Structures are given as structure tokens and as C-alpha cells.
Amino acid sequence: GVPLRLNSLGFRGTEPEARKSGFRIVIMGASPALGWGVREEDTYADLLRKRLKAGGKPVELINASVIGYSSFQGLKLLRKTVLPLSPDLVVITYGVNDPDKYRFFMDSGLCDKDVKPASPFISAAARAVQFSRAIALYTRLVRRLAGMPSGDGHGRIFRENRRVSEEDFSANLQQLAAAARGSGARVVFATSPFTLPPGAKRPGWPVRAEADALAAQAEKACAGKPCRDQALLKRALALDPGSPRALFLLAASSRAEERDSLLKKAGLSELEDCMAALERYNQAVRRLAGDLGAPLCDLEKEFSPGGK
């Protein structure tokens, strides 16, 4: 319900100055840094701009954060669009989308680096569909022509791959920092803040791994068809009632009235799983900041329950 004002670069906020006159800061991240659901004047980018201005600092601040971006897209954005702006300081806040397994409505189950971009024609057609109710019915057809999933299965099947693996996440951050510093900019890192949903629990990894292994056996035995023999799945869920793989498989072979309940539970488990993984990704940010001697804003700790 909050309007977004975009400049010619596609970033949120006012138009960047044609000629850099002062110290230029660029913030790079996803929806938290963009300020999704937050008025522009209340985003931390704008609050920072006002505070520095009040302190007499001639600073230009550009919010180059984009909804849904992982560190993979961030690295491309830095090289193509941000470095030509000659930033003096780059704030890197990626992480919240990297451990996710689902890519909104364009989910393919692949890691970000393995997804092939759609052709310009298909991209233009998809944009037209987004903004025209008259042709919204053709969305599935356009995606089918592009070889993309229709989106109907989003969140209804178990995915193996995270959008960006922990190893690739660390490598992307290293390349982001190296490219920014190579252009003469200083770098600040930030971890990703998050809060688990009410009632959510962090999974016990050894137990979950054992339960998922049993569910994988059941999936292999089913050979892509609904699992009619649910003994293995029930054993998996007895070990870990929140095993996402087991819940998704059980939902696929359950009656309609039970399916939605199982999928809802599976979705919550996946979210718990994702947030627990994000703790590890944040730890990677801390390690890299320490290795590089770069300043770190540890937002996970600042915004944790009982924090500031």
C-alpha cells in the first residue's frame, strides 16, 4: 500500500546528480534495504541522508536496492550500473533472498547462476501482461512459450537447491567487495535482520537430515508419482514432524481437504529452514568483514528479540 517513486536507473528515490559534487554513498540490497512497505521518507536510506545533511556533510545517497535480488544479481548490478556512478562508499546488505528455494512466480528449482535469462521479446511480453488486465489471461501462454514454469506449483513442491549456495554467497560477497574497492570505493557490510513467525522453531539439523533421507527413499520408490505407500513418510514425520520433504510428498498423495493443511505446514517448515540457514549466511558476512577489515553493521543482532 506504499507508492514507490523510481528514478531513471530504476532505483527508489530522486534522480542521481548528473555530476558528483560530494561524497556518494550507494546502498545495495533487497527489499529490506529498499524499504518494502515503508514510506520513502522513513526508509533507513532517507533517514541516513537527513542525518548526514543535518551534520553538515555534503553527501549524496543512492538506494540501489532491488526487491527479490540475491548476491548473484547484486554482483551483476554493481558491475553494470553502480560502479559507473563512481561511489565513494558501497553498503552491501545481501543475504535475505540467497538461502531461499523459491523464486516468486518464476520458480524453476535452479540456482540463480543456472537460470537462463528469457529473450528480450518474452521479457517485454511478460511486462505487458503484468500491467494489462485485458491480456492477463495470456500469462501462462507467454511463460509456456518461454519454457518457464507457470507459477502454479510455487510453494507446492519440495526444492533441493537454494537460490545461492553458502559457498557461492561467500564468493559473491568477496567479488562485490573486490570490485567496489578496485574502483576506489570503501565497503561496509550488513547482516540481514529477520524474525521467525510466531510458533516457529529452529529445526534440529541431524534429525531433519535423517527424516529427509527417509522421505527421499520414499520419493525414489514413487518414481515421480504420488506415494501410495506412506510408511516411510510416516516414519520420517515421526522423527521430525516438520520435515518439508516428507510433508510435501504426503500432501501430493493426500485428499484435497488434507492437502492444504499439509502444504501450509510444509510452507512454515520451509520458512523455518530458510531462516535457520540465513543465520549461517549472516555468519559468512561476519567472517568476510573480519577477514577484509571492513566495517560491519550486524542487523541480525540489533533487531533480534530483546535487541534494540
Side-chain angles (χ1 to χ4, degrees):
V2 176
L4 297 180
R5 173 177 59 165
L6 303 181
N7 57 38
S8 61
L9 294 174
F11 299 146
R12 185 175 191 180
T14 57
E15 199 66 27
E17 296 176 15
R19 293 184 179 180
K20 191 174 77 168
S21 56
F23 194 81
R24 177 172 278 176
I25 301 173
V26 176
I27 294 175
M28 300 189 69
S31 51
L34 174 101
W36 181 244
V38 177
R39 295 181 304 170
E40 187 177 318
E41 60 269 27
D42 293 330
T43 62
Y44 86 76
D46 220 52
L47 294 172
L48 177 60
R49 181 189 294 111
K50 292 169 190 170
R51 183 171 294 190
L52 291 171
K53 185 178 180 181
K57 305 288 185 183
V59 168
E60 181 189 11
L61 198 146
I62 299 171
N63 190 349
S65 305
V66 184
I67 297 167
Y69 267 26
S70 70
S71 59
F72 174 81
Q73 287 92 23
L75 183 57
K76 289 180 175 291
L77 181 68
L78 177 80
R79 291 168 172 165
K80 182 179 179 180
T81 307
V82 172
L83 292 185
L85 296 172
S86 301
D88 297 294
L89 176 67
V90 178
V91 183
I92 300 171
T93 69
Y94 293 106
V96 70
N97 290 312
D98 291 75
D100 195 10
K101 294 181 179 180
Y102 303 94
R103 197 172 292 97
F104 303 100
F105 298 103
M106 311 295 276
D107 175 43
S108 63
L110 298 174
C111 296
D112 282 11
K113 66 181 182 180
D114 298 322
V115 177
K116 294 181 180 179
S119 70
F121 168 76
I122 294 297
S123 295
R127 281 196 296 273
V129 166
Q130 279 185 307
F131 294 105
S132 172
R133 290 187 179 183
I135 58 173
L137 293 175
Y138 293 105
T139 302
R140 293 179 185 177
L141 175 60
V142 170
R143 289 178 175 166
R144 194 175 302 152
L145 288 172
M148 297 183 286
S150 67
D152 291 340
H154 174 70
R156 302 180 74 86
I157 55 176
F158 181 81
R159 293 298 194 196
E160 292 279 358
N161 297 317
R162 300 195 184 279
R163 286 184 55 184
V164 179
S165 70
E166 291 181 54
E167 182 180 5
D168 286 342
F169 177 66
S170 294
N172 289 341
L173 291 187
Q174 288 177 334
Q175 292 180 65
L176 278 159
R181 287 178 161 186
S183 72
R186 295 162 66 186
V187 171
V188 170
F189 287 102
T191 56
S192 296
F194 66 89
T195 304
L196 285 166
K201 298 176 182 178
R202 286 173 173 79
W205 291 112
V207 174
R208 175 145 298 179
E210 188 178 351
D212 283 350
L214 283 171
Q217 283 182 250
E219 189 173 20
K220 186 176 181 181
C222 297
K225 298 177 182 178
C227 293
R228 302 303 176 193
D229 184 359
Q230 299 179 355
L232 282 173
L233 296 180
K234 289 177 180 177
R235 279 178 56 196
L237 290 171
L239 272 173
D240 177 9
S243 166
R245 187 193 292 267
L247 287 167
F248 279 121
L249 286 172
L250 191 60
S253 58
S254 298
R255 296 191 300 271
E257 58 268 24
E258 297 174 348
R259 189 176 304 131
D260 288 342
S261 175
L262 287 167
L263 288 172
K264 185 176 180 180
K265 189 174 181 180
L268 179 60
S269 287
E270 284 276 60
L271 183 58
E272 294 169 356
D273 186 40
C274 187
M275 294 299 97
L278 185 52
E279 289 182 312
R280 301 196 300 272
Y281 283 59
N282 279 339
Q283 191 57 37
V285 176
R286 295 183 189 103
R287 282 196 302 270
L288 183 60
D291 291 344
L292 298 178
L296 170 71
C297 186
D298 202 340
L299 297 179
E300 181 191 339
K301 289 186 178 179
E302 295 290 338
F303 287 90
S304 64
K308 298 178 183 177

